[in-house]
Amino acid sequence: MLENLTLDYHQGARWQQQVTHGEQQFHFYIVTYGSCSFQHEHGTVTAGKGDFVLAPQSCSYIERSAEANLHQKYSLRFTATSALLDMLPPLRQGQWLQSSAGIYERSIELLRPLWKEVQEQQHYQELRIASFLLDTLALWLRELERGELAPASLIHIERMKEYIQTHYRQKITKDVLADYIRRSPSYAAALFKKGTGQTISEYVHAVRMKTAMYMLSASLLSITEIAEYLGYADVSYFQRLFKRTFGQPPSYYMQDRRDSNS
């Protein structure tokens, strides 16, 4: 479904490059800091942190950052097979797509370890990147088809996310969040899924895993102590969940701790 797939990471200011796509070639961008623009023959697309951008096939454009504006972004360049174009019809429309993505946080937490795998030239990285891209494109295009959420709904989603960021070590359920935003549990669960692309449980685990990765490299705690701190009484379950999330066991990320102390 995907051919000539590459993953790159760019950062900087006063930077630009010319990009030309052939038939069935695309660029998918995820902006993680600052802003950048894409100037094409029909106008300019400007994207900031949290935005996804899809540059269509058979187009030429100038990708640039402002003179005084540092930006950071990941880009995935790929050629789509005819089978993929049939499965994702928006790719055939030849239009620029850009939006603030509700699945941004979910996507970036998966993408960062993939970039590390690229730098380390680990086996099967291409397959994992392809899996990430297909999953992310499908979820994002589904999000675009649903349309923009109402401002009140966005406020509820942000409040639930903020609650999780503060209380992630505790047990958080749809009932807890529903009580927090004063809505029904079914409404809270459905709205959270629609706005983030994740269930409440998946989002809580993602926040915990992000914290775990930091603690494994920056603290002196053992894997068992980190698991208990994050609310996992079963260390084996924590290890399985961590490996499923990042593709490596917790001990792999403790190497950074050992390297910094050597």
Side-chain angles (χ1 to χ4, degrees):
M1 290 187 181
L2 294 169
E3 299 174 350
N4 306 314
L5 175 62
T6 59
L7 170 63
D8 289 306
Y9 174 76
H10 304 107
Q11 67 174 355
R14 300 180 177 88
W15 176 86
Q16 72 174 41
Q17 70 172 356
Q18 176 77 42
V19 181
T20 300
H21 288 171
E23 186 178 2
Q24 299 182 200
Q25 289 183 330
F26 299 83
H27 257 96
F28 179 58
Y29 297 94
I30 299 178
V31 182
T32 59
Y33 184 82
S35 65
C36 57
S37 63
F38 308 87
Q39 183 180 348
H40 55 93
E41 60 178 335
H42 300 296
T44 300
V45 173
T46 301
K49 179 181 178 180
D51 285 354
F52 289 1
V53 177
L54 180 68
Q57 61 180 329
S58 304
C59 74
S60 294
Y61 58 96
I62 297 175
E63 175 189 340
R64 61 159 58 98
S65 62
E67 290 187 0
N69 181 37
L70 174 67
H71 87 288
Q72 298 173 342
K73 68 179 181 301
Y74 291 94
S75 68
L76 295 102
R77 182 166 187 159
F78 63 97
T79 300
T81 65
S82 297
L84 181 59
L85 294 176
D86 290 339
M87 294 177 66
L88 298 176
L91 297 184
R92 286 194 181 276
Q93 296 174 2
Q95 298 178 347
W96 283 79
L97 298 177
Q98 181 263 333
S99 76
S100 176
I103 60 169
Y104 167 75
E105 293 179 5
R106 170 191 184 275
S107 301
I108 204 66
E109 291 308 317
L110 295 173
L111 191 53
R112 283 173 176 151
L114 286 180
W115 177 240
K116 185 173 183 180
E117 291 183 24
V118 171
Q119 293 175 300
E120 296 175 349
Q121 299 182 339
Q122 294 189 29
H123 292 168
Y124 311 118
Q125 56 169 285
E126 296 88 351
L127 181 60
R128 283 178 36 79
I129 295 169
S131 176
F132 165 82
L133 178 58
L134 291 172
D135 180 57
T136 303
L137 277 176
L139 289 175
W140 181 49
L141 293 175
R142 182 190 296 172
E143 185 178 304
L144 291 177
E145 290 175 356
R146 286 197 303 256
E148 295 288 339
L149 290 167
S153 296
L154 292 173
I155 291 173
H156 287 320
I157 293 168
E158 287 305 313
R159 290 191 67 214
M160 288 189 284
K161 288 164 63 176
E162 289 171 2
Y163 184 92
I164 293 172
Q165 291 288 343
T166 305
H167 300 86
Y168 64 88
R169 294 175 60 198
Q170 304 170 12
K171 183 178 181 180
I172 300 176
T173 65
K174 63 181 180 180
D175 299 278
V176 172
L177 293 183
D179 183 64
Y180 184 66
I181 65 172
R182 298 185 179 181
R183 292 294 188 273
S184 70
S186 59
Y187 174 87
L191 180 62
F192 194 89
K193 174 77 172 184
K194 184 176 182 180
T196 65
Q198 294 175 282
T199 65
I200 292 169
S201 177
E202 289 170 343
Y203 190 89
V204 171
H205 285 310
V207 173
R208 290 177 173 180
M209 292 300 102
K210 178 180 178 180
T211 305
M213 180 182 285
Y214 171 76
M215 295 180 71
L216 286 164
S217 60
S219 77
L220 297 178
L221 298 178
S222 67
I223 293 174
T224 299
E225 290 170 331
I226 291 172
E228 292 176 350
Y229 174 84
L230 295 174
Y232 297 105
D234 186 341
V235 179
S236 296
Y237 174 69
F238 164 75
Q239 292 178 312
R240 291 196 303 271
L241 186 61
F242 189 93
K243 186 173 182 178
R244 187 163 70 239
T245 302
F246 298 115
Q248 298 287 353
S251 57
Y252 174 81
Y253 291 91
M254 296 180 76
Q255 295 176 5
D256 294 337
R257 181 193 302 183
R258 292 193 291 268
D259 291 343
S260 62
N261 292 330
S262 61

